[in-house]
Amino acid sequence: MLAVRRLRSIAKMVSNAVVDSHLHVWRKANDAEFRPHPDHPPPENIQGDEDFLLSEMDNAGVQTAVLVQPIVYKFDHAYIGSLIKSKPARFVGMALANTSSGPDVAQQQMEAIVADGFRGVRVNPNLLTEGETLSGPTTRAVLRTAAKLDIPVAMFVQPVHFQDLKDVLATSPQTKVIIDHFGFCRPVGDDDHFQILLNILEQFPNTFLKTSAFFRCSNEPYPYKASSTRLQSGTIQCKSSNASFSGLRICTR
C-alpha cells in the first residue's frame, strides 16, 4: 500500500510539473570550452548560457526545459549534451539532424545522439543537401530512423514546405512528428495556410502542433493577437491549445 501511495504521489507531481517545451541556450563567442560554428555566431549582447536560464526557470517556477539544439553550434552537440548529462532533471535535449550529407550520415548521427541521451531530433529544411527537398531521401531516412529509435521529429517548416511535408509524412505515418511554431503561418491576405496545416494534422494522427513562438505567426506586436485568437477561438480544432503539451510529452517521455 505504501508503494502504491508513493507511485500516486510521483504521478501527481509529474502531472503538475511546468515544462518549457522549446528553448535555446548558448555561451559567448569567446567561450574556451564550447566554440560556436564560424558561420553562426551567437547573438551579441544577449545572455543565453545555462546559468542564466536556470535562474529564469527558477524565478518562473519551471521545473524542466527542452533544449533544442541552436544553430549557433550547428551539428556540434557537445554543449547541449553536457547540459542534459549534468542536469537530467532540469534539461531534456532535442538534437539537430544532420541532413546535409545524405541519408546514411543522418541515420548514423541519430543513433549516436540518442545513445548520448538526446530524446528527439529537429529537421531544418534549409540544411538539406543542395537540391534535395523535404520529401527527399534524407528526411525519409530521418523519419524511419526516428520510428525505430522511438523518438519524435520536430519540423522547422513554413507554408512553402507544406506539400513536401505531407508527402514525407505519408512515407512514415507511425513516426511522431512535431510542427514547430504554428508552422510559421503568419496571416497574409486571404491565404489559408493555417487551414492547410490543420488538414495535415487531421490526416496524420501522430503529428502534433507546437503552439510556440507566437511572434512567428502574427503581424502585430506583443501580445500577438492573431496567434492568441487562433487558440481562443478553437480554430486548432481537435488538436486545441494542448498541441504544444502533446508534443512536449513525446519529447520528455
Side-chain angles (χ1 to χ4, degrees):
M1 180 62 72
L2 183 61
V4 172
R5 288 175 182 168
R6 177 61 177 161
L7 287 172
R8 287 174 178 170
S9 176
I10 293 173
K12 183 177 180 181
M13 180 177 64
V14 171
S15 67
N16 292 332
V18 177
V19 184
D20 191 316
S21 67
H22 196 110
L23 280 168
H24 300 296
V25 288
W26 60 85
R27 289 188 180 175
K28 293 181 179 179
N30 61 356
D31 186 80
E33 188 176 6
F34 301 106
R35 294 284 186 178
H37 190 279
D39 295 335
H40 303 285
E44 294 183 8
N45 304 318
I46 300 179
Q47 189 174 1
D49 60 86
E50 69 273 21
D51 292 333
F52 176 71
L53 173 58
L54 285 167
S55 175
E56 293 296 298
M57 288 170 62
D58 290 341
N59 290 338
V62 174
Q63 283 78 32
T64 304
V66 178
L67 301 182
V68 180
Q69 173 75 359
I71 194 62
V72 169
Y73 301 107
K74 205 170 182 181
F75 303 127
D76 180 356
H77 292 81
Y79 178 44
I80 303 301
S82 71
L83 297 182
I84 63 177
K85 287 178 181 177
S86 63
K87 293 181 171 58
R90 305 303 305 271
F91 297 135
V92 174
M94 174 163 275
L96 179 62
N98 186 351
T99 56
S100 65
S101 301
D104 292 341
V105 169
Q107 179 178 341
Q108 292 166 9
Q109 181 230 24
M110 289 174 65
E111 292 171 347
I113 58 178
V114 168
D116 210 30
F118 283 82
R119 302 284 190 88
V121 297
R122 191 187 204 195
V123 171
N124 184 338
N126 298 315
L127 300 177
L128 285 165
T129 304
E130 186 176 357
E132 188 173 337
T133 67
L134 188 67
S135 60
T138 301
T139 307
R140 294 184 184 208
V142 169
L143 293 182
R144 287 196 306 270
T145 304
K148 182 175 112 178
L149 297 172
D150 192 23
I151 61 171
V153 177
M155 291 287 190
F156 186 68
V157 293
Q158 301 182 35
V160 68
H161 303 119
F162 285 175
Q163 184 56 55
D164 283 327
L165 173 66
K166 183 177 178 180
D167 292 343
V168 77
L169 290 176
T171 69
S172 188
Q174 73 276 20
T175 305
K176 294 180 176 65
V177 174
I178 305 165
I179 310 301
D180 283 343
H181 306 335
F182 284 95
F184 284 72
C185 289
R186 189 183 299 275
V188 180
D190 295 327
D191 288 349
D192 58 354
H193 294 149
F194 193 62
Q195 187 57 53
I196 293 173
L197 180 57
L198 294 179
N199 292 342
I200 292 175
L201 296 174
E202 291 284 356
Q203 184 174 350
F204 299 99
N206 283 327
T207 300
F208 300 83
L209 181 65
K210 185 182 285 185
T211 53
S212 54
F214 278 31
F215 70 96
R216 295 284 192 190
C217 45
S218 178
N219 293 326
E220 302 174 2
Y222 181 83
Y224 315 118
K225 184 177 179 181
S227 302
S228 301
T229 299
R230 282 175 175 159
L231 293 177
Q232 294 168 358
S233 64
T235 53
I236 299 186
Q237 298 172 3
C238 67
K239 295 298 173 181
S240 77
S241 60
N242 289 324
S244 178
F245 186 66
S246 296
L248 174 62
R249 285 169 51 201
I250 296 166
C251 293
T252 59
R253 60 179 175 80

